[in-house]
Amino acid sequence: MDRALVDLVRRFNRTVTQRVGALDDSYLARDRPLAQSRLLWEIGPGGAEVAALRTRLDLDAGYLSRLLRTLEGAGLVVVGPGESDGRVRTARLTEAGRAEWELLDGRSDDLAWAVLAPLTDGQRTRLTTAMAEVEHLLMASLVAIGPGHPGEPQARACLRAYARELAARFDSGFDPAGSGVDDHELVPPAGLFLVATLATEAVGCGAVRLPPGEPAEIKRLWVSASVRGLGVGRRLLNELERHAAAAGARSVRLDTNRSLTEAIRLYRSSGYREIPPYNSNPYAHHWFAKSLD
């Protein structure tokens, strides 16, 4: 652990929480703390499903329930069954809640301008550019990667999205049944399947096969468009390589389609070199390999 980096992050966190008023019991001069105001704002004029709020804000179910009860008690929110599905709990703003939402929205604009107003034009540009970069990197740090079974719901969601994208991008379409890989080849000890998640939403996947006496093989590497540019694909690839090396593989290889230009750039920048075809995958135009020694 780099102590200087840790201290810098902690100092940054303290500065931000103080500057935006996160420590105040009356956030934005209202009679409620930040957590309640943020939840009210997220519910918004259109309402929101409780499950979606929990995912979006990454809140414990019990804590979210207590926040909602507090807002209900204040006459700002009502929680009940959804209009199209009575099994889905939905939070909606009351008339008083909508008025409070509009007030919070306006005061949030005022707070943002209070941060910018004392600065010169050049300083504002520097600050907002830095903020965009910090947001980008914080999003990247929120993505978690862990092993899963390709038959589990999150994994299946990734694989369906993967197949839809390939079908749209490949000149000849894509049939996952023709990929020549079965689920049992992607679970230990035969292989490994990884799922990347952001606030419980599956946003990426990747797998490695470990055939005895042969190089390891990367398969089904996919990242959702919502998190592209955050380095998730590279993290997945690195983790799969690390697992293959730990399992004793001395090299790893993969194939890819010519239309997947982003993937080709990733492989080349990660040290893969192009090799002659090693399989008869009908969707492949390029074959790559990398030494793990």
Side-chain angles (χ1 to χ4, degrees), residues 94-272:
T94 63
E95 184 176 346
R98 286 191 291 273
E100 183 68 14
W101 185 93
E102 291 175 1
L103 182 61
L104 284 173
D105 194 46
R107 291 196 178 183
S108 294
D109 283 348
D110 294 340
L111 175 59
W113 180 243
V115 172
L116 297 170
L119 305 178
T120 66
D121 288 345
Q123 288 174 323
R124 291 171 190 166
T125 298
R126 288 170 54 198
L127 177 61
T128 52
T129 300
M131 284 178 164
E133 180 68 5
V134 168
E135 180 186 22
H136 180 86
L137 294 174
L138 286 176
M139 286 289 290
S141 75
L142 288 170
V143 176
I145 294 176
H149 190 285
E152 293 173 347
Q154 285 189 324
R156 298 313 302 175
C158 283
L159 292 172
R160 286 193 297 271
Y162 163 84
R164 285 195 301 270
E165 179 167 348
L166 297 194
R169 296 184 65 173
F170 288 5
D171 295 338
S172 58
F174 177 72
D175 178 4
S179 65
V181 181
D182 295 324
D183 286 353
H184 71 270
E185 298 180 86
L186 306 179
V187 295
L192 178 72
F193 191 91
L194 296 178
V195 177
T197 56
L198 176 61
T200 74
E201 178 187 358
V203 294
C205 66
V208 60
R209 294 173 61 237
L210 300 168
E214 298 181 29
E217 185 180 24
I218 302 294
K219 302 296 293 184
R220 296 178 176 173
L221 186 63
W222 171 82
V223 174
S224 168
S226 65
V227 296
R228 286 179 191 166
L230 300 183
V232 177
R234 192 175 299 275
R235 285 176 58 193
L236 284 164
L237 184 61
N238 290 343
E239 185 63 19
L240 293 169
E241 292 173 0
R242 188 195 65 78
H243 180 81
R250 301 185 63 182
S251 64
V252 62
R253 59 191 181 182
L254 56 87
D255 60 55
T256 191
N257 187 278
R258 62 189 169 208
S259 68
L260 302 180
T261 54
E262 310 95 321
I264 293 171
R265 284 197 300 269
L266 169 63
Y267 301 141
R268 287 179 170 151
S269 67
S270 299
Y272 285 78

Side-chain angles (χ1 to χ4, degrees), residues 1 30 93 127 271:
M1 178 187 296
R30 305 305 293 157
L93 300 182
L127 177 61

